[in-house]
């Protein structure tokens, strides 16, 4: 078994729980300092809110959708200065140069919302998850997907962490742990899985604003819609719509749109169904209702050849638990907690928090 001697300068290993943008950025930054990183995620691949969905139609056509964050900006990201330039030079991101607008369901009119000097909107290429995928597979980072974390135990006498999977498998011992998934450190984990959170309730319950997302595909462009992304006002059902296939590096074989529900709509559905995985019947109804709302806006929307709903249960945290520190930090146990819930409910906030967690750990290890 590894002991505290390993912390003093032999094999330094850190576990990062979660492969969303916060965890991926953190893992990459730590690995650049020569520390061995293992990323664990219960999902099939990296991404979190940067995930991309691969779907197949009945006739075998493959469709890709960015069903989480549609884009991101780097307006106030001084902690991560230059990341956008680095990622752009590596071909991981590109600027999404489309005009955005707003649609009022009462007035039935579009309004342009672009302002002088607006921040650049970036997207991952060829999918939003391209950044996380690259960072989770760079030298010094080992990634294990499809591995749910069941227990994270601090062994006081050995001065080390022990990780156990949901099915009881020993995942190893680590000198440090980064938790970038808020579910792992709050009671929400219990609501979803019926198990206690692996790290215990390290933070108070984090209120979140949920969404339902509907993925649509049309054979022809909806050329009469003046914007490729627009917010929706005065609707109790729809909050946002964007043309996913208009992003750089995407296939234009079909026109693909993403609809985001309002929080009010999502909360109403979840109040009836709970946090467990929604049934196909519920998701089918959600897809129909969001599409119907779009069609009722008078935009001459035809029937898509593909439509499918996805529940985004933790779309936007409603609180920031570490606005000043950017992450939660337990120096004695070498435990960092990071994510959008620490700074701000967006990609930029997650990046800032992940960089802060990496800084805490690398600084500590450099002094040992």
């Amino acid at each position: 078994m590894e002991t505290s001697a390993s912390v003093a300068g032999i094999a330094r290993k850190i576990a990062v729980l979660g492969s969303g943008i916060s965890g991926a950025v953190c893992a990459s930054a730590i690995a650049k300092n020569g520390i061995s990183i293992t990323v664990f995620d219960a999902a099939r691949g990296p991404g979190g809110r940067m995930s991309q969905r691969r779907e197949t139609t009945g006739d075998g056509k493959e469709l890709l959708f960015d069903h989480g964050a549609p884009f991101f900006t780097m307006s106030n990201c001084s902690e991560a200065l230059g990341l956008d330039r680095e990622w752009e030079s590596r071909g991981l991101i590109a600027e999404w140069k489309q005009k955005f607008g707003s649609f009022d369901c009462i007035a039935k009119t579009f309004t342009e919302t672009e302002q002088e000097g607006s921040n650049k909107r970036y997207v991952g290429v060829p999918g939003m998850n391209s950044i996380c995928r690259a960072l989770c597979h760079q030298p010094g980072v080992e990634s294990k997907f499809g591995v749910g974390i069941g227990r994270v135990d601090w062994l006081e006498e050995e001065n080390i962490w022990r990780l156990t999977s949901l099915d009881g498998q020993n995942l190893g011992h680590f000198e440090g742990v980064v938790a970038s998934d808020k579910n792992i450190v709050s009671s929400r984990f219990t609501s979803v899985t019926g198990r206690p959170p692996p790290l215990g309730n390290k933070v108070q319950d984090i209120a979140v604003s949920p969404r339902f997302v509907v993925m649509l595909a049309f054979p022809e462009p909806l050329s009469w819609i003046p914007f490729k992304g627009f917010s929706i006002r005065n609707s109790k059902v729809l909050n946002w719509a964007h043309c996913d296939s208009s992003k750089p590096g995407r296939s234009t074989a079909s026109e693909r749109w993403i609809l985001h529900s309002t929080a009010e709509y999502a909360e109403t559905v979840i109040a009836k169904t709970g946090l467990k995985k929604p049934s196909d019947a519920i998701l089918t109804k959600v897809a129909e209702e969001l599409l119907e709302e779009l069609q009722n806006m008078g935009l001459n929307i035809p029937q898509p050849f593909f439509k499918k709903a996805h529940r985004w249960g933790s779309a936007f945290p409603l609180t920031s638990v570490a606005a000043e520190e950017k992450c939660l930090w337990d120096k004695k146990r070498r435990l960092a907690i990071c994510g959008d819930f620490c700074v701000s409910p967006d990609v930029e906030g997650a990046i800032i928090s992940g960089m802060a967690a990496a800084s805490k750990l690398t600084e500590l290890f450099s002094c040992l």
Side-chain angles (χ1 to χ4, degrees):
M1 174 183 291
E2 293 112 326
T3 68
S4 57
S6 61
V7 180
I10 306 177
R12 292 175 177 172
K13 298 167 59 182
I14 294 176
V16 175
L17 314 182
S19 66
I21 189 64
S22 184
V25 164
C26 182
S28 170
I30 296 174
K32 287 179 180 178
N33 287 274
I35 300 171
S36 178
I37 300 293
T38 305
V39 176
F40 295 96
D41 201 305
R44 290 176 294 178
R49 68 167 54 250
M50 306 281 279
S51 293
Q52 186 181 63
R53 190 76 168 258
R54 186 183 303 272
E55 297 288 348
T56 305
T57 63
D59 59 359
K61 182 181 297 184
E62 184 179 85
L63 302 171
L64 297 174
F65 297 92
D66 294 330
H67 66 301
F71 62 88
F72 68 97
T73 63
M74 298 284 266
S75 58
N76 302 307
C77 206
S78 59
E79 293 87 344
L81 191 63
L83 274 183
D84 52 345
R85 293 191 294 274
E86 177 192 336
W87 292 344
E88 197 165 15
S89 69
R90 294 173 60 184
L92 301 178
I93 65 172
E95 185 181 354
W96 190 13
K97 299 178 180 179
Q98 296 286 349
K99 287 188 175 181
F100 283 20
S102 177
F103 183 86
D104 191 308
C105 289
I106 295 177
K108 302 289 186 182
T109 57
F110 279 103
T111 304
E112 186 173 337
T113 57
E114 299 291 75
Q115 296 180 354
E116 190 81 22
S118 296
N119 292 316
K120 292 181 178 180
R121 300 184 186 93
Y122 292 105
V123 298
V125 179
M128 286 298 285
N129 65 348
S130 65
I131 308 166
C132 298
R133 188 175 299 281
L135 298 181
C136 286
H137 290 92
Q138 73 174 45
V141 180
E142 179 185 11
S143 294
K144 297 185 177 182
F145 299 108
V147 180
I149 302 297
R151 290 182 62 88
V152 181
D153 297 306
W154 172 251
L155 307 181
E156 191 74 43
E157 292 186 5
E158 290 86 354
N159 190 30
I160 207 166
W161 291 98
R162 180 180 64 206
L163 270 62
T164 308
S165 68
L166 277 171
D167 59 7
Q169 179 185 354
N170 180 11
L171 299 175
H173 296 82
F174 298 86
E175 284 72 36
V177 169
V178 177
S180 67
D181 181 349
K182 57 184 167 291
N183 293 336
I184 288 176
V185 294
S186 72
S187 61
R188 185 177 175 82
F189 186 87
T190 304
S191 301
V192 175
T193 67
R195 297 167 173 259
L199 265 167
N201 290 319
K202 297 294 183 184
V203 297
Q204 294 181 341
D205 286 347
I206 300 167
V208 295
S209 180
R211 296 289 188 275
F212 276 94
V213 176
V214 171
M215 299 164 280
L216 304 172
F218 302 90
E220 302 293 336
L222 307 186
S223 55
W224 52 91
I225 297 179
F227 301 106
K228 297 303 183 184
F230 58 94
S231 59
I232 300 162
R233 291 180 290 164
N234 295 313
S235 170
K236 293 183 178 180
V237 177
L238 282 180
N239 178 68
W240 170 261
H242 75 266
C243 180
D244 214 40
S245 51
S246 72
K247 296 177 181 178
R250 271 58 173 183
S251 167
T252 55
S254 62
E255 176 132 314
R256 298 176 304 285
W257 282 76
I258 302 281
L259 310 179
H260 287 196
S261 77
T262 61
E264 176 186 8
Y265 174 87
E267 287 163 358
T268 300
V269 175
I270 291 172
K272 296 177 182 177
T273 61
L275 290 175
K276 296 294 176 69
K277 184 178 179 180
S279 67
D280 290 343
I282 290 170
L283 291 176
T284 297
K285 182 180 179 183
V286 167
E288 291 171 350
E289 290 179 345
L290 266 66
L291 174 60
E292 182 180 5
E293 181 75 357
L294 183 69
Q295 291 173 326
N296 289 341
M297 289 163 55
L299 300 179
N300 192 28
I301 304 297
Q303 282 297 319
F305 68 82
F306 177 88
K307 71 174 185 293
K308 189 171 184 178
H310 166 78
R311 187 188 67 190
W312 189 4
S314 301
F316 303 103
L318 297 177
T319 57
S320 298
V321 300
E324 295 296 326
E325 301 83 1
K326 313 303 182 189
C327 70
L328 298 177
W329 173 236
D330 182 340
K331 182 176 181 179
K332 179 183 177 182
R333 297 186 176 185
R334 303 177 296 280
L335 168 66
I337 297 172
C338 64
D340 54 6
F341 58 97
C342 288
V343 180
S344 59
D346 50 29
V347 174
E348 185 176 5
I351 291 172
I352 292 172
S353 186
M355 292 295 292
S359 178
K360 294 289 187 183
L361 282 155
T362 53
E363 182 181 347
L364 176 63
F365 278 113
S366 69
C367 297
L368 295 175

